[in-house]
Amino acid sequence: MTQNTPKKGLARNTANYGDRDFALYLRRSFAKSMGYSQAMLDRPVIGIVDTRSDYNNCHRTVPELVEAVKRGVFAAGALPMAFPTVSLCEPSLFPTSMHYRNLAALDTEAMMSAQPMDAAVMISGCDKTVPAQLMAAASADVPAVLLVTGPMLATPFQGERLSACTDCRRYWAQYRAGNVTEERIGEIEGRLATTAGTCGVMGTASTMACIGEALGMIPLGHGSIPAVHADRLRAAEEAGALAAKFIENPIRPSQIITAHSVENAVRVLLALGGSTNALIHLTAVAGRRGVKIDLNRLNELSESTPVLVDLKPTGEGYMEDFHAAGGMPALLWELRDLLHMDCIDVTGVRLGDRLREPAFVDRRYIRARAEPVSPVGGLVALFGSLAPRGAIVKRSAATPSLFEVEARCIVFDGLEDLANRIDDPDLDVTKDDIMVLKNAGPLTPAGMPEAGYLPIPRKLALAGVKDMVRMSDCRMSGTAFGTIVLHITPEAAAGGPLGLIETGDRVRMSVQNRTLDLLVDDATLAARRAKWQPPAKARRGWDRIMTEQITQADEGCDLAVLRGE
Ligand code: FES
């Protein structure tokens, strides 16, 4: 092969020793040690991003998905090559999986860019792996299909169904309130996640899978197929075949992830009553292509986008119900007049040409426009003196009677303080107070965990209080519910006004007016600011890189150096 031969397969991205033909010769000789024939090594190459990990229950099926993808690739005449990357399981990481999303994105982008591949299939499923792979693909701009592992099935249990993890929170809240015994909560623990797959409600993983479809990185209808369904393996085979088609007709993520497809994805997020985390992730993915999600625009879209999907935590169903009800093809059909139809997906077909009127829709889970779950979208942004660059509230999973409040604040200065005092019987708190957690944002060692769902103080929970207004600069699980204000930006550790708030201050929130204000006079705030100290920077390693590079929630919490132009 000469230097003028079009670079395909293993001939891509050869090292430069001043003699590229030698570099390829060397690469092929080493590849031969793996037992490949010359004919195989002459084929175009499809990389398969393999995120199997013993730590990642949500990725338990990745090995069989890799095998099914390989079938599709081989049948199309290409050579599949699977390679491992960082795998992030939501409950298995300290301080939080969010702290490592950008590491997974960086790893995946680097390996997709550095290794020889004509196209790729990326396999992921859990909350952070899906956004990490979308971010990586957007930056590497290698033609790629996203294949998610799919949701788990709900478990029938004593007359109800259980699935991770809205039911985990529901039962735990009842346990804290003294309504569920120790023995019972132990029994429930073994029934919440009984099959392979990702959390079975419209949490972050499911929301991101739907967003993957809305963006066009997952073929329509493939995002919600349950993990244990045979169709999931057929989707994997198809992903392999689709990626092989990119060899002759490359469609790059930069053609798919555009301002229009991002806006479609925001519409879908709102119509799903989807996870607040997904907004941060979508902002990061879009940011890789230089597309900004403006929170004022989010509010505009939220006013004209109904919630149509009735799944937990907003409603009643599980992901398997959503899939059987018609899934994303049915939802997009329902939203069609609100969507940009010019967006192409991994098949290269415009959305307008992909959508068909579904033959069947189960209206218990995907509502008609005339009968929405809510006439307005699930998320809104609040702005004001406490959140100059915005904060998010998931109104579809909140208590409307708490939307317009002015109240005293009980402030917790970080997670330790919260853990130490929340259940103190002497804590001076009433159900009408606003609980505030500060110093848990992306710049802190806590790494913006899903701690925004502050527990109801035990003494109030025992008295029957089920919801209170809670605010913080961190996140909450997509499976959680309550009147919870999240992602206050700038965060306390970045010098935001949240860092100056003290117990006893009053805060006014109006969801109707989209405002969030700290009712403390300027002189008092100036005196507090004079004493405020920024947190110490992490000393070394990934923690140091994060504290030096991480952006705020309104920019997706990405590393500044990885954002697009
Ligand atoms: Fe992986 Fe919920 S823990 S999707």
Side-chain angles (χ1 to χ4, degrees):
M1 188 178 288
T2 72
Q3 289 186 7
N4 295 326
T5 308
K7 300 288 190 291
K8 286 242 166 98
L10 286 189
R12 285 181 178 272
N13 298 347
T14 46
N16 189 355
Y17 307 123
D19 180 349
R20 290 193 189 275
D21 286 345
F22 174 68
L24 179 57
Y25 174 76
L26 200 63
R27 178 177 282 173
R28 290 161 76 110
S29 356
F30 279 92
K32 280 191 173 158
S33 77
M34 294 187 279
Y36 291 113
S37 65
Q38 185 65 52
M40 279 293 160
L41 295 180
D42 285 341
R43 289 183 173 201
V45 173
I46 303 301
I48 304 172
V49 185
D50 177 355
T51 45
R52 192 206 77 83
S53 160
D54 282 352
Y55 284 101
N56 199 337
N57 56 287
C58 306
H59 288 208
R60 190 179 103 193
T61 54
V62 169
E64 62 177 355
L65 291 174
V66 168
E67 288 312 308
V69 172
K70 284 183 173 177
R71 281 203 302 272
V73 173
F74 277 129
L79 174 63
M81 300 198 84
F83 60 97
T85 62
V86 167
S87 181
L88 306 174
C89 177
E90 198 56 27
S92 297
L93 290 152
F94 178 85
T96 166
S97 61
M98 185 64 182
H99 188 60
Y100 299 102
R101 182 203 64 182
N102 297 338
L103 182 65
L106 188 59
D107 171 15
T108 309
E109 175 190 341
M111 290 303 100
M112 286 173 75
S113 302
Q115 298 177 129
M117 64 190 75
D118 299 282
V121 176
M122 308 179 296
I123 307 177
S124 58
C126 199
D127 290 23
K128 305 303 179 299
T129 50
V130 174
Q133 291 189 346
L134 287 169
M135 291 159 73
S139 291
D141 212 18
V142 171
V145 181
L146 181 60
L147 173 70
V148 291
T149 54
M152 64 177 66
L153 296 182
T155 305
F157 181 70
Q158 297 182 357
E160 63 174 332
R161 288 189 297 164
L162 299 177
S163 184
C165 212
T166 304
D167 297 320
C168 323
R169 292 171 202 288
R170 178 167 60 88
Y171 266 99
W172 191 255
Q174 289 181 27
Y175 171 61
R176 280 180 60 81
N179 300 328
V180 165
T181 64
E182 187 94 34
E183 190 188 4
R184 175 86 172 156
I185 198 79
E187 193 181 10
I188 298 285
E189 182 182 297
R191 312 316 306 160
L192 289 163
T194 58
T195 79
T198 51
C199 287
V201 298
M202 191 51 79
T204 306
S206 302
T207 306
M208 287 309 301
C210 294
I211 280 178
E213 281 190 58
L215 282 173
M217 293 297 292
I218 298 175
L220 209 46
H222 284 196
S224 56
I225 302 169
V228 296
H229 199 297
D231 282 346
R232 175 54 61 202
L233 293 171
R234 279 184 277 274
E237 192 178 300
E238 199 176 320
L242 205 49
K245 282 192 187 157
F246 289 151
I247 296 160
E248 294 306 324
N249 297 302
I251 299 167
R252 297 188 181 278
S254 54
Q255 296 169 265
I256 296 171
I257 302 170
T258 62
H260 276 186
S261 70
V262 168
E263 189 156 299
N264 285 351
V266 173
R267 289 272 192 203
V268 163
L269 169 61
L270 293 165
L272 293 171
S275 161
T276 47
N277 292 320
L279 184 62
I280 295 184
H281 300 319
L282 182 58
T283 301
V285 173
R288 293 296 184 99
R289 298 300 330 159
V291 175
K292 176 156 177 58
I293 295 180
D294 179 344
L295 294 180
N296 288 300
R297 179 68 179 147
L298 171 80
N299 281 343
E300 286 171 19
L301 296 174
S302 196
E303 282 317 286
S304 56
T305 311
V307 177
L308 296 179
V309 175
D310 196 347
L311 295 196
K312 294 184 179 208
T314 298
E316 285 307 315
Y318 294 92
M319 277 304 283
E320 67 207 68
D321 304 319
F322 176 67
H323 184 68
M328 282 295 291
L331 180 64
L332 292 175
W333 177 259
E334 212 60 45
L335 294 171
R336 61 194 181 283
D337 60 305
L338 301 175
L339 300 174
H340 300 286
M341 289 293 167
D342 58 328
C343 305
I344 60 165
D345 77 341
V346 284
T347 64
V349 181
R350 292 170 66 257
L351 181 60
D353 297 325
R354 271 180 284 141
L355 288 184
R356 297 271 178 282
E357 183 167 6
F360 167 78
V361 181
D362 187 337
R363 294 297 181 195
R364 287 176 296 173
Y365 304 109
I366 301 175
R367 301 280 188 85
R369 285 285 285 282
E371 293 175 282
V373 176
S374 157
V376 290
L379 306 181
V380 287
L382 310 178
F383 298 91
S385 58
L386 187 56
R389 282 164 55 185
I392 298 297
V393 64
K394 185 173 181 178
R395 59 180 166 181
S396 59
T399 307
S401 61
L402 297 176
F403 284 179
E404 311 298 315
V405 292
E406 183 196 314
R408 176 184 76 146
C409 291
I410 310 299
V411 179
F412 299 93
D413 191 359
L415 297 172
E416 276 300 304
D417 187 32
L418 175 67
N420 289 339
R421 292 197 294 131
I422 190 74
D423 288 337
D424 183 343
D426 295 328
L427 182 69
D428 177 15
V429 63
T430 74
K431 70 176 178 42
D432 299 321
D433 290 323
I434 294 174
M435 293 204 296
V436 179
L437 170 65
K438 63 180 181 178
N439 286 317
L443 268 174
T444 66
M448 204 185 193
E450 293 184 338
Y453 178 72
L454 279 71
I456 303 291
R458 189 181 293 274
K459 67 178 183 183
L460 296 182
L462 290 171
V465 176
K466 296 210 164 36
D467 194 11
M468 290 174 68
V469 180
R470 291 159 271 178
M471 301 180 176
S472 72
D473 49 10
C474 53
R475 302 173 299 115
M476 76 171 179
S477 165
T479 63
F481 43 84
T483 309
I484 297 174
V485 178
L486 302 155
H487 316 169
I488 291 179
T489 307
E491 65 175 295
L498 183 67
L500 308 179
I501 197 169
E502 294 182 1
T503 292
D505 290 349
R506 295 189 75 77
V507 161
R508 184 187 300 133
M509 174 175 82
S510 170
V511 174
Q512 185 178 348
N513 297 328
R514 313 284 187 262
T515 56
L516 184 65
D517 290 301
L518 175 57
L519 306 180
V520 175
D521 63 78
D522 290 348
T524 305
L525 288 177
R528 290 180 191 172
R529 185 167 291 288
K531 289 193 212 145
W532 181 81
Q533 295 280 340
K537 281 204 163 109
R539 200 173 63 78
R540 63 180 296 281
W542 179 247
D543 296 351
R544 175 81 183 212
I545 291 169
M546 282 288 275
T547 54
E548 289 181 347
Q549 284 288 328
I550 194 162
T551 60
Q552 293 287 286
D554 60 342
E555 294 180 321
C557 298
D558 199 358
L559 300 185
V561 287
L562 295 179
R563 285 167 58 77
E565 297 299 314

